[in-house]
Amino acid sequence: MAPASSRPRDLPAIIPAIVASIAATVLGAGLGELVAALISPSASPFAVIGGGMIDIAPAWAKDLAISLFGTADKTALLVGIAVLLLAVAGAAGVVERRRPPWGRVILAAIGVIGALVSLARPDAALLSPVPSLVAGVAAAVVAGLLIGRLRPAAVAPEASTGPTRRGVLALSGVAVLAGALAAAGSVALSSGARAVSAVRAALRLPTPTTTTAVPATADLGIDGLSPVITPSSDFYRIDTALVVPQIDPATWSLRVHGLVEQEIVLRWDDLVALPQKETVATLVCVSNEVGGDLIGNARWLGVPIRDVLARAKPTAEADMVLSHSVDGFTASSPLEALTDDRDALLAIGMNGEPLPLAHGFPVRMVVPGLYGYVSATKWVSELEVTRYDRAEGYWTSRGWSERGPVKLQSRIDVPRAGARVAAGDAVIAGVAWQTHVGVAGVEVQIDDGAWQPARLASAISTDTWVQWSLPWTATSGSHTVRCRAISTTGETQTPNRALPAPDGATGWDEITISVA
């Protein structure tokens, strides 16, 4: 430790040292991203660290992140990583100023940690550690050079002048600019993403052999009510991929193996040559809270999974299929849910177009009746036929329920919670679902009055949500509105509130509105 009396003379150089270390880290991070764009986008230092954090996060942390940030959870994670990285960089600057070379060691160590994490990722390649190592080494070297210009002040304060510190700050600004330009260059050089996007744009989907009709009466035509078919651009996205995988259909393959009589491998041309089915199905995330919007309904085109599994011939002891994504995610689906009469698909199309890249292009799974964490694997590459007592999926290994059937739920869309409504004729409307079971009715309660039956739109099938509405003569004052659904099996939606973990939220959606 330096004598206390020397600290006041040291203070004027601390802030430039912090700035210099942060600037060096920004430059290193930018160079790391640039190198990743050139050799392997999935090896991006930010994506590697973020993916590692997602992998080790407990179930409650994932649920909290989604409840706080919704589909912006990945952006929030990346911002959090950046803030933490800059804080560590600032601390490393102080250490480097007072105890060189330990500040540089800290910055280099961050790069080494990133490299080690990249090697542990499921999609690791030979060059995966390079971007993180480049980032760490560059940050350490530049920090050492910049902070070294401040060091004479600790020996002979009179030898250090204002211009020296100003020069370091100026060079730090140059480093930040260079880092920003490198990061921008990484985006511009993401040729793989552009190439796959171009392939997707030129792709022509096969004609389905069977389709599911959407009756005109499925849409009640009420302003503010969720549309029957969710536009692809509005469809929720929850997954573990910080960098969207870029997969050319020409290189894609699906391996079906495990407890099967015949292991098979399907390539893109094999898959599109099979009979295609177009169906409408609602997908819902297990993290969807009561009244939440982590749910969507779309047209899906693909091959029934049961047809593919029939080729492989699962053995009698199998009871589960562990689907694998190229990004390392796995989902454990009941074998019976993939082989019964539901339209469980290896989907290649969404709403009349090839799957969007962020929704699993070129191939993903769609399984009505199950929450996404046990069924909706994007960028699917393997179907491993196995047993529940031998394997478990990504989220089930983190404490979520094993099978994940979708629970009976309903939601109020109109009016919005907290809205001000004009007195007189009004409408209360929303959607209800229990996929692969179906909804037979919805009831609405205003304040503490009697439950009133709502009007249901025509259901597309038991695998989709259904719109509902109730006319209402709104009177002045504050009102509480609740809804509950009734399934086709006679079950009434429970009022008991439960959080999403470990197997889906329960309770009635309830809003408070003000009538003028």
Side-chain angles (χ1 to χ4, degrees):
M1 294 291 290
S5 60
S6 70
R7 289 301 171 86
R9 296 198 302 269
D10 188 42
L11 287 176
I14 292 299
I15 292 178
I18 292 173
V19 172
S21 183
I22 289 175
T25 302
V26 171
L27 175 59
L31 291 174
E33 295 297 318
L34 182 60
V35 172
L38 291 170
I39 64 173
S40 176
S42 64
S44 150
F46 272 92
V48 164
I49 296 297
M53 293 179 68
I54 290 174
D55 287 346
I56 64 175
W60 64 262
K62 174 243 187 188
D63 198 46
L64 178 62
I66 293 176
S67 65
L68 289 175
F69 304 108
T71 55
D73 59 330
K74 295 177 181 62
T75 301
L77 175 60
L78 291 174
V79 170
I81 292 172
V83 171
L84 179 61
L85 179 63
L86 295 181
V88 173
V94 175
V95 173
E96 179 65 20
R97 175 66 184 81
R98 292 176 173 169
R99 289 288 184 269
W102 292 107
R104 281 169 281 169
V105 171
I106 292 172
L107 295 180
I110 295 174
V112 172
I113 291 171
L116 293 175
V117 173
S118 71
L119 287 173
R121 300 291 296 163
D123 54 355
L126 180 64
L127 297 179
S128 292
V130 173
S132 293
L133 291 176
V134 167
V137 170
V141 170
V142 174
L145 292 174
L146 291 177
I147 297 174
R149 296 173 65 90
L150 300 169
R151 200 158 294 126
V155 179
E158 64 277 5
S160 179
T161 62
T164 299
R165 296 191 184 99
R166 287 197 293 271
V168 170
L169 292 174
L171 289 173
S172 298
V174 172
V176 170
L177 178 61
L181 290 174
S186 72
V187 176
L189 290 175
S190 295
S191 56
R194 292 200 305 272
V196 172
S197 294
V199 169
R200 177 186 176 274
L203 197 63
R204 295 295 175 266
L205 294 174
T207 301
T209 55
T210 59
T211 62
T212 299
V214 178
T217 50
D219 192 335
L220 297 177
I222 297 172
D223 289 342
L225 181 57
S226 297
V228 175
I229 302 296
T230 307
S232 299
S233 58
D234 295 336
F235 209 93
Y236 78 94
R237 179 197 166 196
I238 298 292
D239 52 56
T240 61
L242 284 177
V243 175
V244 174
Q246 309 295 317
I247 306 169
D248 187 333
T251 65
W252 174 84
S253 65
L254 177 74
R255 179 184 173 215
V256 185
H257 63 104
L259 299 177
V260 296
E261 295 181 14
Q262 178 65 52
E263 180 174 322
I264 64 172
V265 175
L266 291 178
R267 303 200 178 276
W268 175 259
D269 289 343
D270 302 323
L271 189 68
V272 297
L274 295 174
Q276 305 288 317
K277 184 167 189 173
E278 186 182 65
T279 188
V280 182
T282 297
L283 299 186
V284 58
C285 179
V286 70
S287 294
N288 195 43
E289 296 184 345
V290 174
D293 59 0
L294 299 181
I295 181 173
N297 190 49
R299 284 186 172 274
W300 306 98
L301 174 70
V303 174
I305 297 175
R306 61 176 171 270
D307 293 350
V308 173
L309 290 175
R311 289 186 167 200
K313 300 178 181 178
T315 62
E317 62 179 319
D319 65 4
M320 187 260 276
V321 174
L322 190 69
S323 52
H324 297 250
S325 168
V326 298
D327 78 327
F329 174 81
T330 57
S332 52
S333 307
L335 178 61
E336 61 183 359
L338 304 183
T339 55
D340 62 15
D341 62 348
R342 78 187 75 196
D343 290 331
L345 300 179
L346 288 169
I348 61 174
M350 180 181 185
N351 291 336
E353 297 182 342
L355 290 172
L357 270 62
H359 286 286
F361 181 82
V363 185
R364 67 167 295 165
M365 289 175 60
V366 172
V367 185
L370 299 179
Y371 287 118
Y373 80 105
V374 292
S375 66
T377 302
K378 302 173 184 175
W379 315 289
V380 63
S381 60
E382 291 182 43
L383 297 181
E384 179 185 353
V385 182
T386 181
R387 293 181 53 83
Y388 278 105
D389 57 8
R390 298 182 188 177
E392 55 185 354
Y394 186 95
W395 285 117
T396 52
S397 66
R398 289 160 172 80
W400 292 78
S401 181
E402 189 175 72
R403 296 175 184 261
V406 173
K407 294 183 176 179
L408 180 63
Q409 277 289 324
S410 56
R411 185 182 75 196
I412 301 169
D413 286 352
V414 180
R416 296 294 179 186
R420 291 183 62 84
V421 178
D425 292 339
V427 65
I428 302 168
V431 289
W433 64 91
Q434 189 177 22
T435 52
H436 204 57
V437 174
V439 173
V442 172
E443 296 177 332
V444 179
Q445 183 185 54
I446 301 170
D447 298 322
D448 292 319
W451 287 95
Q452 304 176 56
R455 169 197 173 197
L456 285 188
S458 298
I460 300 172
S461 74
T462 60
D463 291 337
T464 65
W465 63 12
V466 61
Q467 294 182 347
W468 58 266
S469 69
L470 178 75
W472 175 44
T473 302
T475 57
S476 297
S478 177
H479 298 279
T480 299
V481 181
R482 305 176 186 88
C483 65
R484 66 183 185 189
I486 302 168
S487 75
T488 56
T489 62
E491 176 190 359
T492 298
Q493 182 180 337
T494 178
N496 299 328
R497 282 270 177 171
L499 295 174
D503 58 359
T506 62
W508 295 336
D509 190 18
E510 178 180 302
I511 66 170
T512 299
I513 56 177
S514 178
V515 178

